[in-house]
Amino acid sequence: MGMSVGSDSTHEDEGIVDINTTPLIDVMLVLLIMLIITIPLQTHSVAIDLPQGNPPPSTEQPKLVTVSIGYDNSISWNNEPIASEAALQAHFEAAAAMPDQPEMHIHPDRLADYKTVAHVMADAQRLGMTKLGIVGLDQFMEGQ
């Protein structure tokens, strides 16, 4: 019983040890075709007429309304106390009906209830105020 272990064997049943590159070439050709197809889609452009130059700054200062919410959840409109919910809603309706709607700055105290602040903001939005902002947030920063 003999077995041939060396490199001097010349039998016909030996396998070819080369890498089959046909699948690799097929995959590369498919990727190349996909790249060729997608490149023209990226080169399409849309013509947009952009404004030229800088517009002059507005000389008119916007009208401001300050709604303050105190630590005891008291509400004031431009530093005038609001007695009831109906009075606050009347102020919102009057401000929303103005042709040039004023900016409303909500200034909550740090100790005011979230429920009160959210209720004021919801009422303002529901009654037509579109220019809302919360000011005085620096009091909520850590370490102060």
Side-chain angles (χ1 to χ4, degrees):
M1 290 214 263
M3 186 167 130
S4 170
V5 180
S7 63
D8 55 311
S9 68
T10 57
H11 292 32
E12 301 239 351
D13 59 346
E14 287 183 13
I16 301 174
V17 209
D18 293 337
I19 296 175
N20 186 5
T21 58
T22 304
L24 177 66
I25 292 172
D26 289 346
V27 169
M28 292 302 293
L29 286 173
V30 167
L31 289 175
L32 181 64
I33 291 170
M34 289 174 59
L35 180 70
I36 291 171
I37 290 172
T38 58
I39 283 178
L41 295 177
Q42 296 174 358
T43 58
H44 292 289
S45 62
V46 177
I48 298 176
D49 294 330
L50 296 175
Q52 301 297 324
N54 294 330
S58 177
T59 56
E60 296 179 20
Q61 293 296 326
K63 297 176 186 175
L64 295 178
V65 172
T66 303
V67 177
S68 300
I69 303 171
Y71 67 93
D72 57 350
N73 297 322
S74 61
I75 301 171
S76 62
W77 183 277
N78 287 337
N79 297 325
E80 296 177 9
I82 301 294
S84 67
E85 179 75 22
L88 180 64
Q89 290 180 2
H91 281 292
F92 285 146
E93 288 173 351
M98 291 181 179
D100 186 24
Q101 194 178 91
E103 291 182 11
M104 188 175 92
H105 292 181
I106 300 174
H107 191 279
D109 188 82
R110 184 177 187 156
L111 300 175
D113 289 341
Y114 175 77
K115 178 182 174 183
T116 306
V117 177
H119 182 69
V120 168
M121 290 174 57
D123 278 351
Q125 182 183 15
R126 181 176 51 83
L127 295 171
M129 295 292 294
T130 56
K131 299 177 182 179
L132 298 171
I134 299 178
V135 296
L137 295 179
D138 53 339
Q139 65 181 327
F140 296 102
M141 292 175 53
E142 196 64 35
Q144 290 190 6

